[in-house]
Amino acid sequence: VNSQVWAHDTCSFFLWHRYFTRAYERMLQSLMARMENVTIPYWNIVRDYNKQEDGSYKCREYGTCSSIVYDLGGKPTGSSEEDIYYRAYFDIEELGWIHQGPPIQNMWDDKQRGGTVRFDMLVERIPKGCSATEVSNLFIDPKHQEESSSLLSTKQNALNFWRRLQVGVHDNVHDTVGGFMRRPASPIDPLFFPWHSTIDAIGYLYEICHHQIVDIENESLPATVENQDWNWDNSCWYTPEAKELYPDARYRNSLSKEWFLQTGSESNSSNISIWEDPLIGSFFMNSDDLTWWNLLNTTTSNPQLGYIYSDNILPEVQELLRNDSKICPTNLKGMRRFSPTKTDRLQPRSSFTAQEI
């Protein structure tokens, strides 16, 4: 429960999920030799939204515009309201249409019932927040619009961006897919990790747009902006509950002192630190080595992360960012070009296709 508050009700939202998604990726890579270079594909929902709104395509909602919703979990069993059932994971119960196709055909809930649940994907439309325009507009901080064209954009802008990203397109998709995707047990749905790879990719583009304001290689702030409005020591709570649980939450020390990743369920009071978990603890990078920089550094070779995005990620969004310096001060000119001949062994995350499964 505390991890849920820390991950969603403080400014750790973006980096917490980057860390969590990377741990899952590391777990997949450990399963067998042929998966050692596997990465979590991102879900290009911007492309799917365009198809939904373009009359030349014969699709009108998630189920016909986004093949991923059935490629991961299969089509729902049944075709009427009588086929809507409950499932429960980690003491959290949710109602919806049953999905139990690959890769979750052998996944069983707390009561040994198969599959997960979602809303009706042939009814729910992809939300407007997924359009390229709406996503690129997240890069404009309403509180700092006049400064948005300057490379001296403040770090507070990044905090505001992460918050807008969370309550905007991130929440839009979780809430419209429904089922466990809108609950704390959302990672049980196989859509969760590709979706958070997408959220991470949007954050990566934001980092590229503003990468020149931080000397990432030396993990320090350029002297010219060190005294600007970076608000390193500002508290970053979003809810009274977060303030009560984490009174010392600060942007500066959030990673090094208060990760609060715990295992267990709502009925299990014997929660332990994630790094102490004998089954999955080894997939999470050691907390002693974590800093904000370790997880922010996607613009250079970063062994802590171990991945990079393909050059053509979210091309619909890239087109807008490259042509408007008020949205993206660098026009993405600092984007690193992925080359398979690089010796750093960073693996590219690419767009999801059914053939990748």
Side-chain angles (χ1 to χ4, degrees), residues 136-165:
S136 64
N137 282 344
L138 294 173
F139 288 53
I140 304 175
D141 192 336
K143 296 181 180 179
H144 301 86
Q145 283 192 13
E146 293 183 1
E147 299 106 334
S148 63
S149 61
S150 169
L151 290 179
L152 296 183
S153 178
T154 66
K155 181 55 65 176
Q156 185 65 28
N157 280 9
L159 297 180
N160 292 337
F161 165 73
W162 293 337
R163 183 59 173 163
R164 294 194 303 277
L165 179 65

Side-chain angles (χ1 to χ4, degrees), residues 170-355:
H170 166 267
D171 287 359
N172 291 165
V173 171
H174 274 279
D175 291 342
T176 50
V177 170
F180 288 104
M181 279 288 279
R182 60 177 183 160
R183 302 296 300 278
S186 55
I188 207 68
D189 193 306
L191 292 176
F192 175 91
F193 287 102
W195 177 232
H196 271 277
S197 186
T198 305
I199 295 299
D200 193 74
I202 296 172
Y204 168 73
L205 290 176
Y206 183 87
E207 292 162 27
I208 298 295
C209 285
H210 296 275
H211 79 284
Q212 290 177 291
I213 65 172
V214 177
D215 183 357
I216 294 178
E217 293 286 358
N218 297 314
E219 299 186 355
S220 62
L221 303 179
T224 54
V225 296
E226 193 163 18
N227 295 320
Q228 299 291 328
D229 180 25
W230 287 70
N231 293 314
W232 277 61
D233 291 310
N234 276 10
S235 301
C236 57
W237 318 293
Y238 300 147
T239 65
E241 184 179 11
K243 182 177 181 179
E244 180 179 355
L245 283 172
Y246 308 115
D248 297 322
R250 297 288 189 275
Y251 177 67
R252 180 187 293 278
N253 65 18
S254 291
L255 293 188
S256 60
K257 295 183 179 179
E258 290 194 80
W259 258 107
F260 290 100
L261 276 160
Q262 297 176 324
T263 61
S265 63
E266 292 184 5
S267 63
N268 179 6
S269 59
S270 59
N271 288 343
I272 64 172
S273 166
I274 197 70
W275 301 285
E276 298 172 1
D277 187 278
L279 183 62
I280 62 175
S282 63
F283 303 121
F284 289 82
M285 294 175 285
N286 190 293
S287 61
D288 294 336
D289 299 329
L290 284 175
T291 66
W292 283 100
W293 303 107
N294 293 148
L295 295 178
L296 275 171
N297 186 0
T298 52
T299 58
T300 61
S301 302
N302 185 358
Q304 285 278 16
L305 288 176
Y307 67 86
I308 195 168
Y309 286 98
S310 300
D311 302 342
N312 63 343
I313 60 166
L314 300 171
E316 301 86 356
V317 177
Q318 280 200 47
E319 182 178 359
L320 297 179
L321 298 179
R322 291 185 186 280
N323 292 298
D324 191 339
S325 61
K326 291 184 178 180
I327 300 176
C328 178
T330 66
N331 298 115
L332 297 180
K333 292 178 181 178
M335 179 174 285
R336 178 181 173 184
R337 299 300 175 184
F338 175 76
S339 170
T341 62
K342 293 286 184 182
T343 59
D344 52 28
R345 295 184 61 79
L346 295 181
Q347 299 299 322
R349 285 185 178 173
S350 303
S351 176
F352 174 88
T353 63
Q355 288 74 27

Side-chain angles (χ1 to χ4, degrees), residues 64-83:
T64 53
C65 299
S66 286
S67 63
I68 190 174
V69 300
Y70 294 150
D71 289 331
L72 295 182
K75 292 187 176 181
T77 57
S79 57
S80 69
E81 292 186 2
E82 296 179 356
D83 299 306

